[in-house]
Amino acid sequence: MQKQSFNKNWVVKHRLGSIMSSVWGVQSKEEKVSLPHDAMITMERAADAPSGVDMAFFKGENIVYVKEFVIPAEEKDKVHYLYFDGVYMNPTFFINGAFVQKFRYGYTPCCMRIDRYLRYDAPNTLQVAIRGTNLPNSRWYSGQGIYRDAWILTGDYLHVAPDGLHVTTLDCDRELAVLEVKAELQNEGQRSREGYVKLTVHDGSGREVAGRKARFYVDSNGRVTVRQRIHLEKPALWNVDTPNLYSVDCQVVDRETEQAVDTAQTTFGIRKLQLDSVHGLRINGQSVKLKGGCVHHDNGLLGAVSVDDAETRRVLLHKSMGYNALRTAHNPPSAALLNACDKYGMLVMHEFTDIWTQNKTAFDYSEYFPESWEADVEAVVRRDYNHPSIIFWSIGNEIPETGETLGAQWGRKLAEKFRSLDHTRFITNGINVMVSCIPYFKQIMENQAKNGVNDIIGTSGGAADMMSVITSSPMLDPYVEESCDLLDVIGYNYSNERYEREHPLHPEWIFFGSETFSGALDKNWDTVKRNSYVLGDFCWTSMDYLGEAGCGRIAPKDQDSGAFMGDYPWLASADGDFDLTGFRRPMSYWREIIWGGREHVPYIAVHRMQNFGKELYISRWNFTDAINSWTWPGYEGKPTAVEVYSDAEEVELFLNGASLGRKKVGNDFHQFYCCWDVTYAPGTLLAVAYIGGREAGRYELSTAGTPRLSVRADKRILRAGSNDLSYVEIELRDENGILYMTSDRTATVRVDGTAVLAGCGSANPCTEERYDSLTHRFFEGRILAILRAGEQAGKTSLTVSAEGMKSVTVEVETV
């Protein structure tokens, strides 16, 4: 079918009140927008907002998206579908005032045929109504609106069904690939049809490499599936290092007219997956350990908006520091993210949901799950089947029902549904054994007391280690055994200790850490390396995200409640390897070193001097209170702690040429880590790493001089009318390029030209600043501005000014 973007010329009407009647309450404001669009990111925040800390205190509103469009009369004998990649949440679609369809889940495609509602050669009005006042509806920032791409599909009555072209690699090696191409044909006309399906395979350069032709017959208002095997000699296989892609064109030819009446195309990769407890995960015969990160779906300053450039940037940032896998926590991702993972070689654990039948927030998906889960699974698999990056379907995250006999049957239904739709990938679930067994703690403890055991956690561990100790307890095994048995790979959240204990009991079980504390990687990765049946580790989290605000915070205890999450105005989680702007935090370098990166080059991080000596609340989802800065004006002569991360045997630390001593790498706190107490003096810190007594690498960290504005755009050319983005990094650097991270001055951005400002802000996770504001305070030396291509060609200048500094301008051209 012909696929045209439906992203332009929308109006969003914000409504007051809770009743979505025909007049939709009292209108508060109206704005013109292009899709994808997140309406929530520009809404007000307040400490008493019903969304609460989970959703970052954003106030919800009832909103209506409105678009007028015209269908020409010559298309009266065509079929038309609307296809939305994601609308959050519970969208209701109307055309010309008539109800079309309602969808429930906010992360699955919305696809509907619309012919019966259309007027031809006349304006049609589409309304997409979203009730945003039923909050909270998520445990994290969900956003609100049509936050992914939208299309209108037009075709002959005889056509390939939407998301109906699938490619399966039946077998492959470097000499031969055997493919099965399946085309689901749909005849929505009133007479039967006959014809041919012509399949053509192209490699990444566009060269035709294979093809087949198959005949078919289909009844009126009927469907038929055409399957064809295609042999491809010397295929270019897909993996994380060489992500080779192919495409297949499907042409539907009517036998009566000998004319092509429909075409469809999809991209795919050729790769072979194998899984066992002896070799672990193999891709094309090679064992792969998963260096994974959990990511929520928001894109920081853009809110929930998902576009190609944002998702490409996210994937490339992860690749740059050694990640090879992402977990889409805890919902189906956008097509844009999966396309980027395919293109750049990032493996994906594709997660379906955070909730089954038991709610976690007042208005979440559990309200609809029993009735809609099956259709939602089908929609997800149909859309995403061809992505080679996906290797796991995850049926849930921290689901309480996994500890119940009857609740586990929902897991079995989900697993078997996914298998019925796709037998080529593996089924997993992110099981938190503590969450699974909470209802039974009292019973378990009473039973153990009868046997002379008075404490479920035994004598090891303390309050700080409570979750890990509880989740590893063998007393909980019987409650989750069935939920584990029905999986291909058992994903354990915060249960590294279970792998080696359970392997002798269940030698065929295969594990990975589906969610782990970042600071536990040294121990976790050692377990992964030593055991073939442990596939890898997914940290929480690889990239900071909105919502679950403050769960990763570090703060003086006399200024913090010590609760799981922070108080208003906390906005973001503050627990990622990358902050909200995509800047790497120190623990990301520690992780990279553990994974074997940096070629023995150490890394230096310094404890924030304003907090040194204070008793701190440090979240388990964070690391230490350190940043990569030796610029601390006003703290001369005062003590701090200097950390060095290294994979060497020893490290020697120097300050301004004087040795502060040589230390063995690794201690009771962490492996790949050593630390010195140092009195601050401006100048240069130098860490020298030694292996076998010989220097293996060195790293310097110097005090920044007078800061000035540094502005850099990652892209200077944007395509008019597209969703192209230019990320503009605004930093405080001295004349030598050293980042000045300890200034809290403000800067103002001005944009002149055809491009528009899509978002602007810092990575500060605790702020009342808005991302549609032009003035922001620097956080750790950085602000980020994001430009979005305008509708018209032309030049755009972005000028940054700050008091006492020379303004800097960067130009971006839209063509």
Side-chain angles (χ1 to χ4, degrees), residues 639-743:
T640 188
V642 175
E643 303 174 346
V644 178
Y645 315 146
S646 175
D647 59 356
E649 297 167 355
E650 294 180 307
V651 170
E652 188 172 9
L653 184 67
F654 297 84
L655 173 58
N656 297 328
S659 175
L660 302 181
R662 186 183 295 200
K663 292 192 176 185
K664 181 180 178 181
V665 176
N667 54 34
D668 292 340
F669 180 59
H670 281 301
Q671 300 302 307
F672 304 91
Y673 174 98
C674 44
C675 187
W676 287 258
D677 288 333
V678 179
T679 299
Y680 175 65
T684 299
L685 286 171
L686 169 65
V688 181
Y690 299 92
I691 298 176
R694 304 183 66 177
E695 181 178 332
R698 59 174 53 203
Y699 181 86
E700 285 188 356
L701 183 63
S702 296
T703 304
T706 303
R708 52 190 181 184
L709 290 171
S710 171
V711 182
R712 185 185 69 85
D714 72 338
K715 184 184 292 187
R716 294 298 187 100
I717 302 293
L718 307 177
R719 296 170 299 163
S722 73
N723 284 320
D724 286 0
L725 301 177
S726 177
Y727 282 80
V728 183
E729 295 178 344
I730 303 165
E731 298 176 323
L732 295 174
R733 292 188 179 271
D734 71 4
E735 61 180 358
N736 297 313
I738 299 173
L739 186 64
Y740 198 108
M741 299 185 72
T742 50
S743 172

Side-chain angles (χ1 to χ4, degrees), residues 292-294 321 323 494 515-525 537-543 552 574-578 585-588 590-592 594-595 619-624 670-671:
C294 300
M321 64 153 289
Y323 281 98
Y494 311 107
E515 188 170 318
T516 63
F517 294 118
S518 288
L521 183 68
D522 49 355
K523 298 179 179 66
N524 292 353
W525 198 247
D537 180 272
F538 289 80
C539 74
W540 193 268
T541 178
S542 57
M543 199 159 202
D575 58 11
D577 275 358
F578 297 95
R585 299 172 67 224
M587 67 180 176
S588 72
W590 182 68
R591 181 183 313 282
E592 184 182 14
I594 293 173
W595 283 341
S619 165
R620 287 294 306 278
W621 285 272
N622 211 314
F623 192 53
T624 66
H670 281 301
Q671 300 302 307

Side-chain angles (χ1 to χ4, degrees), residues 336-590:
L337 176 61
L338 293 175
N339 289 339
C341 291
D342 292 344
K343 183 175 180 180
Y344 295 105
M346 182 68 71
L347 302 172
V348 174
M349 185 203 309
H350 189 302
E351 194 145 88
F352 178 58
T353 182
D354 187 52
I355 318 107
W356 292 352
T357 60
Q358 297 184 27
N359 70 299
K360 295 181 179 178
T361 60
F363 299 100
D364 61 26
Y365 182 50
S366 65
E367 187 174 351
Y368 318 106
F369 174 87
E371 292 78 32
S372 67
W373 72 271
E374 197 163 11
D376 289 334
V377 169
E378 290 174 357
V380 164
V381 177
R382 283 180 64 86
R383 187 199 68 172
D384 296 338
Y385 185 91
N386 296 322
H387 290 283
S389 56
I390 301 172
I391 56 174
F392 302 108
W393 298 114
S394 172
I395 60 176
N397 170 68
E398 297 188 342
I399 303 294
E401 294 94 318
T402 53
E404 307 168 5
T405 300
L406 294 179
Q409 306 318 305
W410 281 108
R412 194 171 295 280
K413 289 179 184 179
L414 282 158
E416 292 309 312
K417 183 64 179 182
F418 272 104
R419 289 181 177 121
S420 72
L421 299 169
D422 179 9
H423 65 275
T424 69
R425 294 179 172 95
F426 309 118
I427 308 301
T428 188
N429 191 358
I431 296 176
N432 185 320
V433 181
M434 185 177 74
V435 173
S436 303
C437 298
I438 283 175
Y440 308 108
F441 276 3
K442 182 178 179 181
Q443 175 187 336
I444 294 169
M445 293 178 72
E446 288 175 352
N447 291 341
Q448 295 305 315
K450 292 176 183 178
N451 297 320
V453 180
N454 296 314
D455 187 356
I456 191 172
I457 67 171
T459 58
S460 64
D465 245 357
M466 185 70 72
M467 181 186 292
S468 296
V469 175
I470 291 177
T471 57
S472 65
S473 172
M475 301 176 193
L476 308 184
D477 292 3
Y479 295 90
V480 296
E481 184 174 6
E482 182 176 0
S483 289
C484 292
D485 255 335
L486 61 86
L487 303 172
D488 299 315
V489 180
I490 299 164
Y492 274 144
N493 290 9
Y494 311 107
S495 300
N496 180 67
E497 296 82 1
R498 299 186 76 90
Y499 311 147
E500 291 177 308
R501 180 177 64 74
E502 291 187 333
H503 178 64
L505 304 174
H506 306 278
E508 303 303 322
W509 279 9
I510 302 167
F511 309 91
F512 53 46
S514 44
E515 188 170 318
T516 63
F517 294 118
S518 288
L521 183 68
D522 49 355
K523 298 179 179 66
N524 292 353
W525 198 247
D526 179 65
T527 305
V528 170
K529 290 193 299 182
R530 286 189 290 101
N531 298 290
S532 61
Y533 54 87
V534 183
L535 305 186
D537 180 272
F538 289 80
C539 74
W540 193 268
T541 178
S542 57
M543 199 159 202
D544 205 1
Y545 57 94
L546 303 174
E548 286 192 313
C551 73
R553 70 194 183 283
I554 297 175
K557 283 189 175 180
D558 61 359
Q559 302 172 23
D560 191 271
S561 66
F564 171 54
M565 289 184 277
D567 298 323
Y568 183 83
W570 276 94
L571 170 65
S573 60
D575 58 11
D577 275 358
F578 297 95
D579 67 22
L580 284 175
T581 67
F583 188 63
R584 288 181 64 174
R585 299 172 67 224
M587 67 180 176
S588 72
Y589 293 90
W590 182 68

